[in-house]
Amino acid sequence: MDILIIGGGLSGLAVAEALEAQNRDYMLVEARGRFGGRIKTAVHAGGTFDLGPAWFWPGQPRIAALIDRLGLEKFDQFSDGVLTYEDERGQVDRGRGFSSMQGSWRLKGGLEALTQSLAARVPDSRKRLNAPVVTLTQSAGGVTATLRDCEKLEAGQVVLALPPRVAAQIACTPALPAASIQTMQGVATWMAGQAKVVAIYDRPFWRHAGFSGDAMSRKGPLVEVHDASPENGGPYALFGFIGTPPPHRTEEDALRRDVIAQLTRLFGPEASTPSTLYTKDWAFDPCTATEADKAPLYAHPTYGLPEAFRGLWDGRLQFAGTEVAPQFGGYLEGALEAAENVLLTMQDYGRGHVHAD
């Protein structure tokens, strides 16, 4: 094939959809049993709840255009009502300002509606699930990728549409330059150390009490809470980011009890009986995070395509994924920006390699 895309998250799917429209010869392989990468949406009683990223914003033109093109709908993050604050002793103060996420957008049906729509536009013959790549070998004719089941795939070039730290775990022959490997291992994966909890309720009792669902806490385990309800109708939900470091959140039952106790402190007794409580700890997802990603990020990293990533294997090894986007790195928009940039570098490569499916 002309192009092998490794990683079926938003960036990899965007590259695949574009190559399909160009009638190129390509294959998309994904290690997980689903497409979407860090985009993951839970479905409960007809409601959809994002366990990965949930928001996008005005001023991000690529995702806005893609949503319009796919016929999807965005809606405003709920922000009516006041903020709740909890100090380090667990003392709750209500009414300290308003929703911090006012002006953010969410996607009707959850963000998985976006990745599922993109995946549906890629023919089954051009995409593979449960297909982790373990080695890449350069040859005179291109690159050979070996899957975990020992199957080999031949391609003219490879797009690594996954976090650089995860990509660094693929064994390469000949070995990549030491500076490139060191740089890959040094690029922090955005969101990799995060854990998210979604508590689902039959009624939005916090709204009825005049609260936006926003809360900030210095006690935890949730350090930040927001309304995660669908645009219209129920079920309703609150979600929060867990502030406890990854090594201290492995006891899930205890963590769930602490989360419910905290939501009860913040929003009252009705919060003590969620119909369902979803948790997703991305720090322990091997397709997203490495051991290095368990160190907390206290600020948004400066992303972009490092010089050490350029020209590898005579340009046959390319990088995509949100961490290499120069302007919107770490965001959904960055995943699309990185896909756009890698497509530009490939526009003349392998011209004449088309398929007739």
Side-chain angles (χ1 to χ4, degrees):
M1 72 194 75
D2 184 7
I3 300 161
L4 176 65
I5 308 160
I6 303 175
L10 180 55
S11 188
L13 287 167
V15 172
E17 191 223 12
L19 293 177
E20 179 64 27
Q22 296 171 14
N23 204 35
R24 298 289 290 273
D25 185 13
Y26 70 95
M27 176 69 74
L28 170 66
V29 294
E30 165 58 43
R32 295 178 174 90
R34 62 174 182 84
F35 292 110
R38 283 166 273 184
I39 292 174
K40 182 175 175 60
T41 303
V43 179
H44 178 80
T48 53
F49 307 93
D50 286 310
L51 302 179
W55 297 305
F56 53 101
W57 291 270
Q60 297 182 340
R62 295 170 186 85
I63 191 166
L66 180 60
I67 286 169
D68 287 344
R69 180 163 65 83
L70 296 176
L72 302 174
E73 297 179 43
K74 66 179 184 292
F75 66 95
D76 292 329
Q77 166 69 29
F78 182 81
S79 60
D80 295 342
V82 298
L83 180 73
T84 301
Y85 174 79
E86 182 180 44
D87 67 19
E88 58 275 5
R89 297 170 299 165
Q91 295 295 315
V92 175
D93 182 9
R94 298 183 174 90
R96 285 195 177 195
F98 294 87
S99 172
S100 60
M101 299 311 299
Q102 185 173 7
S104 304
W105 286 328
R106 291 172 52 209
L107 191 65
K108 186 175 181 180
L111 281 166
E112 212 167 278
L114 179 64
T115 51
Q116 287 177 347
S117 294
L118 282 174
R121 298 166 79 93
V122 178
D124 289 344
S125 62
R126 296 281 164 185
K127 61 191 180 189
R128 297 269 298 276
L129 293 172
N130 300 305
V133 175
V134 293
T135 67
L136 292 172
T137 305
Q138 185 186 23
S139 64
V143 179
T144 301
T146 304
L147 305 184
R148 184 174 295 163
D149 64 3
C150 298
E151 181 183 356
K152 296 184 184 297
L153 301 174
E154 306 280 346
Q157 63 178 331
V158 169
V159 175
L160 296 167
L162 66 171
R165 280 179 173 168
V166 176
Q169 297 177 328
I170 300 174
C172 292
T173 304
L176 299 180
S180 298
I181 296 173
Q182 185 176 10
T183 302
M184 291 167 71
Q185 294 171 336
V187 178
T189 304
W190 184 246
M191 203 189 81
Q194 295 281 0
K196 191 171 179 178
V197 176
V198 180
I200 299 177
Y201 301 94
D202 293 333
R203 61 186 298 269
F205 52 86
W206 59 94
R207 296 183 180 183
H208 300 326
F211 304 132
S212 64
D214 268 36
M216 303 297 162
S217 173
R218 297 180 66 87
K219 179 178 175 61
L222 302 178
V223 294
E224 183 180 338
V225 181
H226 301 279
D227 189 305
S229 308
E231 180 184 19
N232 296 308
Y236 302 87
L238 295 165
F239 90 84
F241 296 106
I242 298 172
T244 310
H248 302 292
R249 58 187 193 223
T250 56
E251 296 294 332
E252 186 173 347
D253 288 344
L255 183 63
R256 292 166 74 93
R257 287 195 299 270
D258 290 345
V259 164
I260 290 174
Q262 181 185 16
L263 291 175
T264 304
R265 293 194 306 270
L266 294 172
F267 298 107
E270 283 192 76
S272 66
T273 54
S275 57
T276 302
L277 193 73
Y278 289 104
T279 62
K280 175 58 180 176
D281 197 329
W282 292 97
F284 297 96
D285 185 327
C287 294
T288 297
T290 67
E291 194 65 27
D293 289 307
K294 293 177 183 177
L297 288 178
Y298 296 107
H300 197 106
T302 299
Y303 286 129
L305 186 66
E307 191 61 34
F309 289 6
R310 300 176 188 270
L312 295 176
W313 287 359
D314 300 321
R316 294 183 183 275
L317 204 59
Q318 304 276 351
F319 288 80
T322 187
E323 284 81 18
V324 299
Q327 185 177 3
F328 291 98
Y331 296 98
L332 298 168
E333 181 76 3
L336 298 175
E337 180 188 7
E340 181 181 281
N341 289 344
V342 82
L343 286 162
L344 289 173
T345 67
M346 295 189 301
Q347 62 184 351
D348 293 322
Y349 187 94
R351 185 168 285 177
H353 290 73
V354 298
H355 66 85
D357 292 2

